[in-house]
Amino acid sequence: MSQAPAAAPAKKKRRFPSFSVQILLGLAVGVALGAVALAMGPQDADGEVPNGLTTTLDTIGSSFVTLLKAVVPPLIFTAIVASIANLRTVTNAARLAGQTLLWFAITAAISVAVGIGLGLLFQPGNRASVSLDAASEPGRTGTWLDFLNGLIPGNVLGLGASTQVEVTDGGASASTSVSFNVLQILVVALVIGIAALKSGKKADPFLAFNRSALAIVQKVLWWIIRLAPIGTAGLIGYAIAAYGWTSLASLAWFAVAIYVGLAVVLFVVYPVLLRTNGLKISSYFKGAWPAIQLAFVSRSSIGTLPVTQRVTERNLGVPSEYASFAVPLAATTKMDGCASIYPAISAIFVAQIFGIDLSVTDYLLIAFVSVVGSAATAGLTGAIVMLTLTLSTVGLPLAGVGLLLAIDPILDMGRTAVNVAGQALVPTIVAKREGILDVEQYEAASAEDLFVDEDDDASSEETTGATATDETAGATPSGTKEPVGATA
């Protein structure tokens, strides 16, 4: 007598809104609190001491970004070592790396072309009402040697320390801060991963430990990401309270040109590239949107890196063996917002402010720096550093950078969102072209899948009735995938 099939387990009722809705709610709360803090004004007449609400919002937002950044070094190291160890299943690793770099250059070239076109169309320098008295030399500049300096690690952890000395009437005080260089950690992890691969069975205990460490880091990361709506409220609230929108008045046309350029790349160029490669546009934005949202409010590609990697793997269907290499590399060198659109329009702005005519050669130099310059400034992050490299290469006054600093935080939100969107886009396109993209997972992209707890996954698998005897009987597990790099 045949048994009736077991009923499918009932779906759990969602107790909370989806993650994207939570981010939007945090954004709305942040805007409201930021408006209140802005209306309250500073505590002192000179405007130097922020009020309590502004300070609280700053503390909440910066603490969340600090937590995200804290998990980045172990995540990158363990994920890349694990991906190198999985190279046994990758038949075209060199081709994947080459295609990734090629698409970095293609999207950067298109973005800088958009930036130059909008700079010539909007003429932001000729329409600005800023005074040249505000021009000042930047405190840090980018050079073509920065790539080599950032590529060679000073220590095995890829850490650096900087000390600031403040001299006052009462004496001098020094404060030391420790930071990490993502590119150096990437290099160290690649070297150790390759060494482990070449060591054969002797490295098996180390690789097993690394896989365990990666699982633990990912679990901690899941907990931190859950705090994103609260962090969003603090970040956007502080941005409004600290900067407001009054500073946009004198540079309105420049800001409009930047945001129009960012919108064109994000909502026109990227969709065209997706459709050209046979990918649904709606699935990409649905899957990548959590990372894009977080990038907008956090203003940090590195801080958003854990989320970017998660959406690329879980939502967009890129194999983790490839994504764990491509996404950290992209977070360091792939910046369509900061390294392409922004320096192109800014260079034209500075030239117009100082009355300097740019030739066709100058525009070609701007395009060249934007395509390859992000790698040159990989050791020094920030759009301002990229801008100084562009201006110095073209021969424009670096003092023009000081004119743009007043509204840089406002522009940085949009720039970082486009950066992160591109960092998820390129691995997705390359994976699709190489036949290793999980198309079904991509088309079913859901932000909710990003935060499925591994414990819940395990318990749900048990309730489906799958047992070890099913596999030994010859059934293929539903989660089995083709080896990365296998032909489609």
Side-chain angles (χ1 to χ4, degrees):
M1 185 174 179
S2 60
Q3 288 184 337
K11 266 191 171 181
K12 287 185 178 180
K13 289 187 177 180
R14 187 192 299 165
R15 292 178 295 173
F16 303 102
S18 66
F19 180 74
S20 295
V21 173
Q22 291 180 37
I23 290 288
L24 290 176
L25 291 174
L27 189 65
V29 171
V31 169
L33 292 176
V36 172
L38 187 63
M40 291 170 60
Q43 290 186 358
D44 61 333
D46 297 332
E48 297 181 356
V49 180
N51 59 61
L53 180 56
T54 301
T55 303
T56 301
L57 292 171
D58 182 27
T59 302
I60 293 174
S62 60
S63 297
F64 173 69
V65 174
T66 300
L67 285 173
L68 277 178
K69 288 183 177 181
V71 82
V72 165
L75 174 67
I76 293 177
F77 182 86
T78 54
I80 290 181
V81 170
S83 68
I84 295 298
N86 290 330
L87 281 178
R88 297 182 182 91
T89 63
V90 179
T91 60
N92 56 353
R95 178 178 171 84
L96 282 173
Q99 288 290 309
T100 302
L101 296 176
L102 175 63
W103 277 94
F104 282 1
I106 291 173
T107 52
I110 297 173
S111 299
V112 72
V114 171
I116 292 175
L118 290 175
L120 296 175
L121 176 65
F122 282 90
Q123 300 285 310
N126 294 333
R127 299 184 180 190
S129 58
V130 294
S131 171
L132 288 179
D133 296 336
S136 60
E137 294 280 348
R140 186 176 64 172
T141 60
T143 69
W144 290 101
L145 293 177
D146 289 331
F147 176 70
L148 293 178
N149 294 332
L151 188 65
I152 302 174
N155 53 75
V156 72
L157 299 177
L159 297 177
S162 59
T163 302
Q164 292 184 341
V165 179
E166 184 178 353
V167 180
T168 60
D169 295 337
S173 61
S175 60
T176 302
S177 59
V178 179
S179 60
F180 61 87
N181 187 305
V182 176
L183 189 60
Q184 291 182 4
I185 297 175
L186 187 71
V187 171
V188 171
L190 282 172
V191 172
I192 292 179
I194 293 172
L197 192 63
K198 295 294 184 181
S199 299
K201 292 185 178 180
K202 295 180 180 179
D204 287 347
F206 168 75
L207 293 176
F209 169 79
N210 183 81
R211 286 192 295 270
S212 298
L214 176 58
I216 294 172
V217 170
Q218 289 175 331
K219 176 66 69 174
V220 174
L221 168 65
W222 184 82
W223 293 338
I224 295 174
I225 294 175
R226 281 293 189 183
L227 301 175
I230 300 174
T232 296
L235 289 164
I236 198 67
Y238 176 74
I240 292 175
Y243 305 106
W245 299 101
T246 56
S247 56
L248 280 172
S250 60
L251 295 170
W253 281 104
F254 175 75
V256 168
I258 293 292
Y259 266 96
V260 169
L262 295 172
V264 168
V265 170
L266 182 59
F267 297 115
V268 178
V269 173
Y270 287 174
V272 168
L273 293 177
L274 289 167
R275 290 299 299 168
T276 302
N277 287 279
L279 293 169
K280 289 177 61 177
I281 298 171
S282 59
S283 296
Y284 166 76
F285 281 106
K286 186 177 180 181
W289 199 250
I292 297 173
Q293 282 180 310
L294 184 58
F296 182 82
V297 295
S298 68
R299 294 170 44 206
S300 173
S301 294
I302 298 302
T304 313
L305 171 59
V307 185
T308 309
Q309 185 166 332
R310 271 214 158 186
V311 300
T312 304
E313 294 177 8
R314 287 201 176 190
N315 293 357
L316 301 180
V318 179
S320 60
E321 296 88 350
Y322 169 54
S324 59
F325 165 78
V327 176
L329 179 65
T332 307
T333 60
K334 174 65 183 160
M335 299 176 285
D336 288 342
C338 290
S340 297
I341 300 170
Y342 179 75
I345 296 178
S346 299
I348 294 174
F349 169 85
V350 171
Q352 292 171 351
I353 282 287
F354 286 91
I356 300 173
D357 293 327
L358 296 177
S359 63
V360 175
T361 303
D362 293 325
Y363 291 120
L364 292 176
L365 277 175
I366 293 173
F368 172 78
V369 175
S370 298
V371 172
V372 302
S374 56
T377 58
L380 298 171
T381 57
I384 297 300
V385 176
M386 183 63 197
L387 176 57
T388 61
L389 178 65
T390 305
L391 295 182
S392 59
T393 302
V394 182
L396 294 173
L398 292 180
V401 176
L403 300 172
L404 307 176
L405 292 178
I407 62 170
D408 187 69
I410 297 172
L411 303 179
D412 198 27
M413 294 188 290
R415 289 191 313 239
T416 310
V418 172
N419 290 346
V420 168
Q423 291 160 14
L425 176 85
V426 169
T428 305
I429 289 178
V430 172
K432 175 62 167 61
R433 294 176 67 87
E434 295 300 312
I436 61 175
L437 184 72
D438 189 333
V439 179
E440 290 185 5
Q441 186 176 352
Y442 174 87
E443 293 182 349
S446 171
E448 298 170 30
D449 294 341
L450 184 65
F451 304 101
V452 173
D453 196 338
E454 286 79 2
D455 294 337
D456 292 342
D457 287 343
S459 62
S460 64
E461 287 176 4
E462 290 175 5
T463 58
T464 59
T467 62
T469 55
D470 293 330
E471 296 182 14
T472 56
T476 302
S478 60
T480 302
K481 295 182 181 179
E482 292 293 327
V484 176
T487 55

